[in-house]
Amino acid sequence: MKILGIETSCDETSAALVQNGKTLSNIISSQTIHKYFGGVVPEIASRIHLQIISKIVEDALNEANTNIKEIDGIAVTTQPGLIGSLLVGTNFAKGLSLRYSKPLIPVDHIEGHIYSGFLEKYDVKFPFITLVVSGGHTILFLVNSFSDYKIIGATRDDAAGEAFDKIGKLLGLEYPAGAKIDNLAKKGNPYKYDFPRGLINSNDFDFSFSGLKTSFRYFIERNFGNYSKIDDVVLCDLCASVQEAIVDVLVVKSIKALEHYCIQSLVIAGGVSANSRLRTKIQKLAQEKGFNVIIPKIQYCMDNAAMIALLGELKLLAEGKERFFRYDITANPTPIRSRKK
Ligand code: KG4
Ligand code: ZN
């Protein structure tokens, strides 16, 4: 089965071809213009999607050496995300589906992340815990089957990626700052400064990162005034220490969830799962405790259409083609809470 995936929920325009869980192409165009505004400007994001979506889809088909008539279905992110951005992908996919009489499979972006660890492995074994950790979300899911999962914990304020981005701004780093902090941290001492680890000892699986952000801001103001007074060595130590605070909470809560629910496998997904310290720490601790950790390849951590196509393929296999010739699907900005059929 060959599926075309389309993803436009935020500031990445992406199209991919996936066949039997294998990626044939995965074109991602990231909108860099938002760095001038310190965050994603929804109106600009949707306009750029509109300008390049057809070229991105064409490139994905060409790279996969595939004619659109050969595909078995079109999977598209319909929720959650920026409404203007979602509308571009959803309507483009609808148009293609009508024109070429192909099944149209609506995919939830977060569900896409949940299964992204299985791209190219294709051996989804239930149950598992997934930590979806990105610029917009920090959520722990207990996943029992495709149609049965629930949220067991989530951030009460900022997402972890948002904390990376906002702290990066305080350090004079361009948006998105997560990968930049990760790189600078490699040259720093993670134990140099002790920043708060919100809710690390709470008896639930929730997260909180806004206290860390505020504490970091006061620390910078008190000791340096602003980032222009911070030298390179201190910058690396600050990045390493603040990254350690974020990673510690993510690791502790994920392991706690595995133990509490007696689950053997953990999937970590979303942009922040690209973080090198998170990947190393969670893998080491999980190995010590006998858990199995699945983390997507770096190119599947960020927003991408391959994960959308993969889930589209799994849905089509599980539910059959007939129910996917419906054109009343609409873009929906709100996040899912849980699913049980
Ligand atoms: O999943 P994603 O591409 O988009 C959202 O759905 O948000 O995630 C983007 C987020 C940004 O906040 C970015 O700073 C963060 O992921 N990120 C990282 C790293 N690479 C991306 N955070 C920490 N370390 C990284 N290496
Ligand atoms: Zn995402």
mmCIF file of all heavy atoms in Angstrom, residues 2 4 30 40 64 79 166 183 244 262 264 285 323 341:
data_model
loop_
_atom_site.group_PDB
_atom_site.id
_atom_site.type_symbol
_atom_site.label_atom_id
_atom_site.label_comp_id
_atom_site.label_asym_id
_atom_site.label_seq_id
_atom_site.Cartn_x
_atom_site.Cartn_y
_atom_site.Cartn_z
ATOM 1 N N LYS A 2 0.545 2.228 -0.867
ATOM 2 C CA LYS A 2 1.316 3.473 -0.934
ATOM 3 C C LYS A 2 0.431 4.635 -0.525
ATOM 4 O O LYS A 2 -0.638 4.835 -1.110
ATOM 5 C CB LYS A 2 1.752 3.706 -2.380
ATOM 6 C CG LYS A 2 3.240 3.586 -2.624
ATOM 7 C CD LYS A 2 3.550 4.017 -4.043
ATOM 8 C CE LYS A 2 4.854 3.386 -4.510
ATOM 9 N NZ LYS A 2 5.220 3.774 -5.865
ATOM 10 N N LEU A 4 0.081 8.835 0.393
ATOM 11 C CA LEU A 4 0.626 10.193 0.379
ATOM 12 C C LEU A 4 0.191 10.874 1.683
ATOM 13 O O LEU A 4 -0.993 10.863 2.029
ATOM 14 C CB LEU A 4 0.054 10.964 -0.818
ATOM 15 C CG LEU A 4 0.282 12.483 -0.828
ATOM 16 C CD1 LEU A 4 1.762 12.826 -0.988
ATOM 17 C CD2 LEU A 4 -0.525 13.145 -1.959
ATOM 18 N N SER A 30 10.687 24.061 6.274
ATOM 19 C CA SER A 30 10.468 24.797 7.528
ATOM 20 C C SER A 30 10.454 26.289 7.238
ATOM 21 O O SER A 30 11.312 26.787 6.517
ATOM 22 C CB SER A 30 11.582 24.491 8.527
ATOM 23 O OG SER A 30 11.556 23.138 8.859
ATOM 24 N N VAL A 40 5.871 31.614 16.063
ATOM 25 C CA VAL A 40 5.119 31.436 14.808
ATOM 26 C C VAL A 40 3.990 32.458 14.701
ATOM 27 O O VAL A 40 3.171 32.584 15.616
ATOM 28 C CB VAL A 40 4.547 30.002 14.724
ATOM 29 C CG1 VAL A 40 3.752 29.817 13.440
ATOM 30 C CG2 VAL A 40 5.666 28.986 14.818
ATOM 31 N N ALA A 64 9.733 9.884 -4.730
ATOM 32 C CA ALA A 64 9.325 8.493 -4.512
ATOM 33 C C ALA A 64 9.058 7.780 -5.841
ATOM 34 O O ALA A 64 8.605 6.629 -5.855
ATOM 35 C CB ALA A 64 8.071 8.461 -3.657
ATOM 36 N N GLN A 79 -6.134 17.974 12.576
ATOM 37 C CA GLN A 79 -6.167 18.558 13.911
ATOM 38 C C GLN A 79 -5.011 18.047 14.736
ATOM 39 O O GLN A 79 -4.424 17.033 14.356
ATOM 40 C CB GLN A 79 -7.477 18.214 14.622
ATOM 41 C CG GLN A 79 -7.561 16.718 14.977
ATOM 42 C CD GLN A 79 -8.805 16.370 15.748
ATOM 43 O OE1 GLN A 79 -9.804 16.069 15.141
ATOM 44 N NE2 GLN A 79 -8.733 16.411 17.068
ATOM 45 N N LYS A 166 11.592 29.811 24.937
ATOM 46 C CA LYS A 166 11.512 31.061 25.704
ATOM 47 C C LYS A 166 12.808 31.319 26.463
ATOM 48 O O LYS A 166 13.265 32.465 26.559
ATOM 49 C CB LYS A 166 10.324 31.009 26.664
ATOM 50 C CG LYS A 166 8.992 31.145 25.928
ATOM 51 C CD LYS A 166 7.816 31.063 26.859
ATOM 52 C CE LYS A 166 6.509 31.358 26.120
ATOM 53 N NZ LYS A 166 5.335 31.009 26.924
ATOM 54 N N ASN A 183 23.009 22.051 21.322
ATOM 55 C CA ASN A 183 24.390 22.111 20.816
ATOM 56 C C ASN A 183 25.333 22.814 21.775
ATOM 57 O O ASN A 183 26.436 22.338 22.045
ATOM 58 C CB ASN A 183 24.423 22.853 19.473
ATOM 59 C CG ASN A 183 24.180 21.874 18.356
ATOM 60 O OD1 ASN A 183 24.494 20.692 18.489
ATOM 61 N ND2 ASN A 183 23.594 22.353 17.276
ATOM 62 N N GLU A 244 19.349 20.267 31.529
ATOM 63 C CA GLU A 244 19.329 19.164 32.492
ATOM 64 C C GLU A 244 18.044 19.196 33.329
ATOM 65 O O GLU A 244 17.452 18.161 33.610
ATOM 66 C CB GLU A 244 20.562 19.274 33.407
ATOM 67 C CG GLU A 244 20.924 17.996 34.129
ATOM 68 C CD GLU A 244 21.485 16.919 33.208
ATOM 69 O OE1 GLU A 244 21.722 17.184 32.007
ATOM 70 O OE2 GLU A 244 21.649 15.777 33.679
ATOM 71 N N CYS A 262 2.780 -0.649 34.882
ATOM 72 C CA CYS A 262 3.400 -1.942 34.551
ATOM 73 C C CYS A 262 3.518 -2.147 33.034
ATOM 74 O O CYS A 262 3.057 -3.157 32.480
ATOM 75 C CB CYS A 262 2.626 -3.106 35.154
ATOM 76 S SG CYS A 262 2.511 -3.007 36.921
ATOM 77 N N GLN A 264 6.026 -2.090 29.545
ATOM 78 C CA GLN A 264 7.431 -2.371 29.215
ATOM 79 C C GLN A 264 8.050 -1.392 28.217
ATOM 80 O O GLN A 264 9.260 -1.219 28.181
ATOM 81 C CB GLN A 264 7.544 -3.794 28.623
ATOM 82 C CG GLN A 264 7.589 -4.882 29.669
ATOM 83 C CD GLN A 264 8.648 -4.618 30.734
ATOM 84 O OE1 GLN A 264 9.813 -4.448 30.427
ATOM 85 N NE2 GLN A 264 8.224 -4.521 31.993
ATOM 86 N N LEU A 285 18.807 4.986 31.502
ATOM 87 C CA LEU A 285 18.000 4.622 32.674
ATOM 88 C C LEU A 285 17.052 3.469 32.347
ATOM 89 O O LEU A 285 16.864 2.542 33.148
ATOM 90 C CB LEU A 285 17.219 5.853 33.156
ATOM 91 C CG LEU A 285 16.552 5.709 34.511
ATOM 92 C CD1 LEU A 285 17.575 5.466 35.608
ATOM 93 C CD2 LEU A 285 15.758 6.976 34.863
ATOM 94 N N ARG A 323 -14.909 3.682 4.126
ATOM 95 C CA ARG A 323 -15.331 4.773 4.999
ATOM 96 C C ARG A 323 -14.526 6.061 4.791
ATOM 97 O O ARG A 323 -14.812 7.079 5.404
ATOM 98 C CB ARG A 323 -15.307 4.336 6.463
ATOM 99 C CG ARG A 323 -13.936 4.051 7.027
ATOM 100 C CD ARG A 323 -14.059 3.780 8.506
ATOM 101 N NE ARG A 323 -14.502 4.975 9.193
ATOM 102 C CZ ARG A 323 -13.757 5.715 9.991
ATOM 103 N NH1 ARG A 323 -12.528 5.360 10.216
ATOM 104 N NH2 ARG A 323 -14.222 6.784 10.578
ATOM 105 N N LYS A 341 -12.962 3.594 21.510
ATOM 106 C CA LYS A 341 -14.135 3.304 20.673
ATOM 107 C C LYS A 341 -14.970 2.218 21.319
ATOM 108 O O LYS A 341 -14.431 1.347 21.964
ATOM 109 C CB LYS A 341 -13.657 2.861 19.308
ATOM 110 C CG LYS A 341 -13.270 4.046 18.470
ATOM 111 C CD LYS A 341 -13.034 3.644 17.026
ATOM 112 C CE LYS A 341 -12.384 4.790 16.267
ATOM 113 N NZ LYS A 341 -11.398 4.346 15.315
#
